[in-house]
Amino acid sequence: MTANAPALKKKRHNRMPMLAQAGPVSIWMILFVTIPMLFIIYISFMSRGTFGGVEYTPTTESYATLMDATYFKVILKSLEVALITTGACLLLGYPFAYYIARKPPEVASKLITLLMIPFWTNSLMRLNAWMLLFQTNGPVNNFLQAIGLTEAPITFIYTPGLVLLGLITNFLPFAVLPMYSSIEKLQKSLLEASADLGATPRTTFLKVTLPLTFPGIFSAIILTFIPALGTYTVTDMLGGGKVLYIGNIIKNQFGAIRNWPLGAALSVLLLVITALLIFLYTRFAKIDDLEVL
Amino acid sequence: MNQTASKKRAARRGFTKALGDIYAVLIYSIFYIPVAVMMIFSFNDADRNFFWKGFTTRWYGELFEFGNHDLWESLAYSLVIAILATIISVVVGVLGGIGLKKFKFVGKKFIDTMIYVPIIVPEIVLAVAMLIIFMTIGVKLGMGTILIGHCTFCIPYAVVTIKGRISGDNETLQEASMDLGANRVQTFWRVTVPSIMPGIMSSAFLSFTLSFDDVVMSNMLAGASQSTLPVLILSMNRTGVTPDVNALTSLIVVFMVVGMLVSNGFTRHRKKKEAKLIAEAESAISAARSKM
């Protein structure tokens, strides 16, 4: 007992820095991430109150509503749009990331800064700019009419097409950055070895470059697909309330419509999709390697 | 024969390079066109931005007559929230990054996973989840709730940034400092903090921009209180954004770019100075040696 006392005291003493350093972040995450996430799952299985809000009687009604034709269509449409956005971001972003990664480091870091600067402009103002460009009497329509491609102005604003343009331009940098850092890490000697062993540039790309940069590509998929699936600001700004995806439906349940359990159920759906993608990711890469910055 | 083949190859390489440059310019223009359009429309002589009506600089003038109170109040509100969110997130995030890297404890893996939740999960889900909690326990929505929301997604970025900056060297340095008689607090301020200073700066910058630009959290957790600048812009969208918002946004961008150039200049200057000092010290040492 007496022999143990100093040892115990020492152990207590050593805990102080751990509590001071890891404590606040742990408490914050549990209070404001874990508990709200668990609570939203709980709410999604409750009933809708008569005047909005929640009645605490368990039901799976909200999930049944999601299977309704109207909501189900919105979900499918949102998945489709998020998929197209992701595909476009990968196809546009990979060659661009490759271009930057093959520059000397000091040039590459300048090019990356050049990529970040536009994002210091408020994202809504950038979306608004696309709308000004594509207005019915805006510059794009004037140009198309001037070169005789169209006689009457084309309606671009508040269409799914313009929303898609907004989504792609908004999320492209988040696809470029992780792909850039994985291409940059790729060792040149491997490519040279492949060429020396007689592989054509195409084979080298398909058999060496692409597989080795796959973690970056998957990071890019996660960082574009999930936010594209959940966004409501892009659709709000460019769709003008006429183009509705999952994000808008969730938001509306907490505004005018006030059906919290339904909004919660849709949120849980997004959580499940996210978890599935992350699970796939962790099958072949560590979560710490997910390039989020 | 051989010469023509290599010429051909060189020509082809040049062609591919030109193609790459053209492609890069195209992609960059996708990012810069909206910024340029946004700035051009700050000179639009119309009350609401829909169409171009003519050139004027009056919006910049009116901006500094402080006539548009909504705009300035929203900006001030956004700035206060962003500054507070940055301070809280950097303190909690930097301590957390160090702590989560250094210590092992029960449930650490769980916290490590939780860190990634706000980064990966769609923001609307986190915002709605927090809204439900706040409403259920009866917390009044306002600046406090927006601030909590912002910190919840800024802290994880700070933690990830700091964790990436800490290497084995830090541990060694800390041990050396303690061996030399410094206590924990001294070691923290004199050794640990300076060694991760770049990480602290970049997480502060990131927190500030994330908070200042945020719409989703601010919109959900604001309640009936004052709206932040992005929320004000969102609400203006249907009726047309007033060009003074374009003017203000343009000024903010110019301010940030100038700030970046100045800070880069300082860094370069400091590095040059350090290199000069090191060179001087080395020559002094070698001079002393040759005398011996």
Side-chain angles (χ1 to χ4, degrees), chain A residues 145-188:
Chain A
Q145 277 168 300
I147 61 167
L149 262 179
T150 172
E151 272 174 25
I154 302 171
T155 310
F156 290 110
I157 59 164
Y158 305 150
T159 61
L162 192 63
V163 171
L164 193 62
L165 176 79
L167 285 169
I168 295 169
T169 53
N170 224 24
F171 295 122
L172 186 51
F174 301 103
V176 170
L177 291 178
M179 293 197 286
Y180 158 74
S181 70
S182 72
I183 297 170
E184 191 229 22
K185 276 182 208 136
L186 187 72
Q187 281 168 6
K188 235 184 169 175

Side-chain angles (χ1 to χ4, degrees), chain A residues 13-14 17-18 20-22 24-30 32-37 39-40 43 56 91-93 95-96 99-100 103 110-115 117-133 135-139 158 169 172-173 176 222-223 226-227 230-233 236-238 240-241 247 250-251 254 258 260 263-264 267-268 270-271 274 278 287-290 292-293, chain B residues 17 20-21 23-25 27-35 37-38 41 49-51 88 92-93 95-100 102-105 110-111 114-122 124-126 128-136 147-149 151-152 155-157 159-161 163 184 188 205-206 209 212-213 215-216 219-220 229-231 233-234 237-238 241-242 245-246 249 252-253 256-257 260 268:
Chain A
H13 181 71
N14 279 347
M18 185 178 90
Q21 290 175 351
V25 73
S26 305
I27 293 168
W28 193 290
M29 288 298 132
I30 289 168
F32 299 119
V33 180
T34 315
I35 293 176
M37 287 296 164
F39 197 64
I40 203 172
I43 290 292
Y56 292 90
L91 287 178
L92 289 171
F96 184 59
Y99 173 87
I100 299 177
K103 294 274 171 197
K110 283 210 177 94
L111 288 175
I112 290 290
T113 311
L114 208 57
L115 180 68
I117 289 173
F119 287 79
W120 294 348
T121 305
N122 181 287
S123 62
L124 300 178
M125 291 306 283
R126 276 182 283 122
L127 291 169
N128 182 257
W130 285 121
M131 196 148 92
L132 294 173
L133 269 180
Q135 276 286 2
T136 319
N137 290 316
Y158 305 150
T169 53
L172 186 51
V176 170
I222 289 175
L223 295 179
I226 296 171
T231 181
Y232 77 78
T233 49
D236 241 29
M237 291 297 285
L238 299 177
I250 295 179
K251 189 201 153 210
F254 294 88
R258 286 184 70 79
W260 286 15
S267 305
V268 172
L270 287 184
L271 277 178
T274 308
I278 296 298
I287 189 80
D288 279 342
D289 293 337
L290 189 68
V292 288
L293 302 172
Chain B
K17 196 183 164 296
D21 290 340
Y23 183 71
V25 169
I27 295 288
Y28 275 117
S29 53
I30 292 179
F31 295 131
Y32 278 90
I33 283 173
V35 179
V37 171
M38 186 278 293
F41 273 82
N49 264 337
F50 284 113
F51 311 112
I88 298 172
V92 176
L95 286 175
I98 299 170
L100 290 174
K102 199 157 80 181
F103 300 111
K104 288 203 167 63
F105 52 90
F110 178 73
I111 300 296
M114 280 300 125
I115 294 287
Y116 280 98
V117 171
I119 296 177
I120 296 165
V121 163
I124 179 85
V125 175
L126 196 63
V128 160
M130 293 178 102
L131 177 72
I132 294 180
I133 283 274
F134 288 144
M135 297 287 268
T136 307
L147 192 57
I148 291 174
C151 289
T152 304
I155 290 171
Y157 280 102
V159 169
V160 173
T161 312
K163 267 168 97 180
R184 277 182 203 287
F188 180 77
F205 181 73
L206 200 63
T209 41
F212 190 66
D213 206 34
V215 202
V216 178
N219 202 14
M220 274 290 164
L229 186 60
V231 174
I233 296 170
L234 186 70
N237 187 47
R238 299 286 171 81
V241 176
T242 50
V245 182
N246 292 60
T249 314
I252 293 172
V253 178
M256 303 243 327
V257 171
M260 182 196 70
R268 211 170 298 144

